[in-house]
């Protein structure tokens, strides 16, 4: 090269604004996802570099959840502009491509969690209109899960799922309107939840820590 003129440096597109969610892919080393407005970014080197892997026009990404036991499977929930609903986007290959079915919901998704039933991935959704589940089978659609018989329209903020040493699946869910915590010890099936306390507390996030055979919520 003898000479150059009008040199410009161009920075790759990165999640630099309105980042509402960031999550690690526990099945893929050094892999992270970040939702920046309507764009989902992926990093394969612990955040040193990013690339856009999903664009959802007129939507804002609010939740990204990776399946802990099925490598490559993740769900993205968005809020729709000028709407009170949400949409769900599913990828089976680490956001390289997206399933053709987009689930349009008339309520807003607050949190997501994955589980397995008879080896079929099931997506649990905490929404402002109740708890819903979506089985990843052909033709599957969101179905409401009964949590509290006395208040079927009770909304929820957060979900947490864990598998105990005996293979049992526990699902904890934090209710809106300071209604406390509900727990199912049978994988979150309908009508299996019981209230376990913290009524009167405004709980927005849940996490489970496992220490040997013990689990802490």
């Amino acid at each position: 090269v003898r000479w150059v003129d009008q040199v410009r440096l161009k920075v790759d597109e990165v999640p630099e604004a309105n980042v509402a969610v960031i999550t690690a892919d526990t099945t893929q080393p050094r892999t992270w996802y970040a939702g920046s407005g309507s764009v989902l970014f992926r990093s394969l080197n612990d955040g040193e570099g990013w690339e856009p892997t999903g664009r959802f026009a007129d939507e804002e990404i609010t939740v990204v959840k990776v399946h802990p036991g099925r490598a490559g499977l993740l769900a993205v929930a968005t809020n729709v502009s000028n709407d009170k609903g949400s949409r769900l986007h599913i990828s089976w290959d680490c956001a390289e491509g997206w399933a053709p079915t987009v689930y349009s919901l008339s309520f807003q998704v607050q949190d997501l969690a994955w589980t397995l039933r008879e080896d079929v991935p099931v997506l649990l959704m905490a929404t402002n209109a109740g708890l819903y589940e979506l089985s990843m089978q052909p033709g599957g659609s969101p179905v409401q899960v009964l949590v509290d018989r006395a208040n079927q329209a009770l909304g929820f903020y957060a979900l947490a799922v864990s598998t105990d040493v005996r293979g049992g699946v526990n699902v904890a869910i934090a209710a809106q309107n300071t209604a406390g915590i509900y727990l199912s010890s049978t994988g979150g099936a309908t009508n299996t939840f019981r209230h376990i306390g913290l009524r009167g507390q405004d709980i927005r996030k849940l996490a489970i820590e496992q220490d040997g055979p013990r689990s802490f919520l």
Side-chain angles (χ1 to χ4, degrees):
V1 177
R2 293 296 185 90
W3 59 274
V4 293
D5 190 18
Q6 297 181 349
V7 175
R8 295 181 180 180
L9 299 179
K10 182 179 180 180
V11 178
D12 290 339
E13 190 175 4
V14 296
E16 60 183 351
N18 196 23
V19 177
V21 58
I22 184 168
T23 186
D25 189 336
T26 56
T27 68
Q28 310 289 338
R30 307 184 68 191
T31 301
W32 294 76
Y33 300 95
S36 177
S38 62
V39 182
L40 180 71
F41 289 88
R42 181 184 65 187
S43 172
L44 301 177
N45 53 11
D46 285 332
E48 290 291 333
W50 295 90
E51 59 180 340
T53 55
R55 300 181 186 273
F56 312 113
D58 299 321
E59 302 173 40
E60 182 176 0
I61 297 170
T62 56
V63 188
V64 178
K65 194 66 66 172
V66 177
H67 198 298
R70 288 295 174 90
L73 178 57
L74 73 147
V76 174
T78 67
N79 285 343
V80 184
S81 299
N82 302 319
D83 197 342
K84 295 182 179 180
S86 293
R87 288 179 184 163
L88 282 176
H89 305 269
I90 306 295
S91 174
W92 292 84
D93 54 8
C94 299
E96 287 290 333
W98 296 93
T101 301
V102 177
Y103 301 91
S104 296
L105 310 173
S106 60
F107 40 78
Q108 288 192 343
V109 174
Q110 304 291 331
D111 198 9
L112 299 171
W114 286 103
T115 186
L116 283 172
R117 290 190 190 144
E118 298 179 353
D119 206 39
V120 176
V122 175
L123 182 64
L124 298 174
M125 296 172 278
T127 82
N128 61 352
L131 176 64
Y132 285 76
E133 68 177 31
L134 172 63
S135 177
M136 293 292 109
Q137 292 181 321
S141 60
V143 177
Q144 187 171 12
V145 178
L146 180 60
V147 176
D148 188 340
R149 285 183 173 274
N151 188 1
Q152 297 185 28
L154 179 63
F156 299 94
Y157 282 127
L159 277 163
V161 177
S162 71
T163 302
D164 60 31
V165 293
R166 298 180 179 178
V169 178
N170 299 290
V171 178
I173 187 165
Q176 296 182 1
N177 301 321
T178 67
I181 303 292
Y182 292 81
L183 178 69
S184 167
S185 298
T186 55
T190 193
N191 204 27
T192 64
F193 286 85
R194 65 186 188 278
H195 194 274
I196 61 172
L198 297 184
R199 194 180 300 276
Q201 302 293 320
D202 186 19
I203 302 162
R204 301 299 180 99
K205 296 293 182 181
L206 293 176
I208 295 175
E209 178 184 0
Q210 292 182 322
D211 181 12
R214 299 184 300 172
S215 296
F216 298 89
L217 178 65

